[in-house]
């Protein structure tokens, strides 16, 4: 059990994003307010171009919003569209990212890819190795830790990427179409890993997905359309 479970770790209020100006002006994210709590997996659905990646990159502090505020694990990061904290520190401490392609460092093996995230933060190699192995083990990668990324299957690469995103126990994990390159059974396994790790490590996981068949594994479904995010009712989820 993680002490963070149930705590609001992401609070977004009136967050919006406008790209361009004049005739090219596009309000990709309309003012949006929502919370996510540690331990839950929130799926974000919606057609291409609806603003899902915009929302995720803003929540991940890698894309500045036009307006609004954002609080991560109780720390106010952005207020009235402006940074009010050291964003790179918050990124390192509070956030984990998983992308469509695993983006592993090709010349480091799986364990080294995961370990690096800790060593950058000053954790000793010995401790980092221990923690990386334990986590990879729990993700079903015990026999594959020292394989180079090129030797791993797509599903295995995403497991390493999930371990890398979670090794520093972030409060929020953002995953943008992490199962898009996987077949449906691998995709389902990855969603199961998110569910289990969200609970075990006390993180809120926001995952953009197109696969309706895995929605039984998530706690909440948000639907994005034309920059508007709406909570989808649970009963409608399986249809
Ligand atoms: N950097 C950018 N500059 C201008 N327009 C952008 C930029 N990024 C995304 N957009 C536009 O914003 C809208 C939402 O994009 P995006 O957030 O990537 O949607 P999704 O992830 O749901 O496909 C799209 O119309 C897209 O073309
Ligand atoms: Mg996208």
């Amino acid at each position: 059990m993680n002490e963070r479970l149930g705590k609001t770790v992401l609070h977004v209020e009136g967050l919006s994003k406008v790209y361009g100006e004049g005739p090219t002006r596009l309000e990709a994210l309309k003012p949006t307010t929502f919370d996510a709590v540690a331990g839950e997996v929130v799926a974000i659905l919606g057609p291409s171009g609806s603003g899902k990646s915009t929302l995720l990159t803003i929540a991940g502090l890698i894309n500045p919003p036009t307006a609004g505020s954002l609080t991560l694990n109780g720390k106010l990061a952005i207020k009235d569209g402006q940074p009010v904290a050291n964003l790179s520190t918050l990124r390192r401490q509070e956030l984990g990212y998983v992308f469509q392609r695993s983006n592993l460092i090709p010349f480091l093996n799986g364990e080294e890819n995961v370990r690096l995230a800790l060593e950058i933060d000053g954790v000793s190699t010995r401790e980092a190795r221990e923690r990386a192995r334990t986590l990879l083990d729990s993700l079903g990668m015990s026999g594959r830790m020292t394989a180079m990324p090129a030797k791993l299957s797509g599903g295995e690469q995403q497991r390493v990427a999930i371990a890398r995103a979670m090794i520093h126990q972030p409060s929020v994990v953002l995953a943008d179409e992490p199962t898009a390159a996987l077949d449906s059974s691998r995709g389902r396994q990855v969603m199961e890993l998110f569910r289990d790790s969200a609970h075990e490590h006390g993180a809120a996981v926001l995952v953009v997905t197109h696969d309706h068949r895995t929605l039984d594994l998530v706690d909440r479904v948000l639907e994005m359309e034309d920059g508007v995010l709406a909570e989808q009712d649970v009963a409608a989820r399986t249809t």
Side-chain angles (χ1 to χ4, degrees), residues 33-178:
T33 297
F34 76 94
D35 286 341
V37 302
E40 70 170 346
V41 178
V42 181
I44 301 174
L45 302 180
S48 177
S50 58
K52 305 180 300 294
S53 293
T54 297
L55 173 66
L56 238 62
T57 52
I58 293 175
L61 305 176
I62 48 184
N63 184 8
T66 304
S69 71
L70 192 151
T71 306
L72 270 172
N73 199 19
K75 300 166 189 168
L76 185 64
I78 293 175
K79 184 171 187 283
D80 297 329
Q82 299 300 318
V84 290
N86 185 328
L87 299 190
S88 57
T89 304
L90 283 178
R91 265 182 228 116
R92 230 176 43 238
Q93 292 177 346
E94 304 296 344
L95 292 163
Y97 308 89
V98 181
F99 303 97
Q100 181 168 341
R101 299 187 166 278
S102 60
N103 288 321
L104 298 175
I105 297 174
F107 49 85
L108 296 180
N109 70 32
E111 182 220 285
E112 291 164 341
N113 263 281
V114 176
R115 219 168 76 191
L116 184 66
L118 287 177
E119 289 175 326
I120 287 172
D121 264 351
V123 175
S124 73
T125 299
R126 192 194 158 127
E127 188 193 332
R129 178 177 292 135
E130 191 63 39
R131 283 170 60 181
R133 286 183 180 170
T134 304
L135 183 54
L136 282 164
D137 199 26
S138 77
L139 294 174
M141 288 290 289
S142 42
R144 307 287 286 140
M145 291 183 199
T146 55
M148 299 305 273
K151 300 277 184 205
L152 297 173
S153 70
E156 289 171 335
Q157 288 181 22
Q158 280 308 52
R159 283 164 195 253
V160 176
I162 291 170
R164 182 182 56 182
M166 295 204 133
I167 188 72
H168 60 301
Q169 312 238 310
S171 52
V172 176
V173 174
L174 302 164
D176 201 347
E177 307 195 31

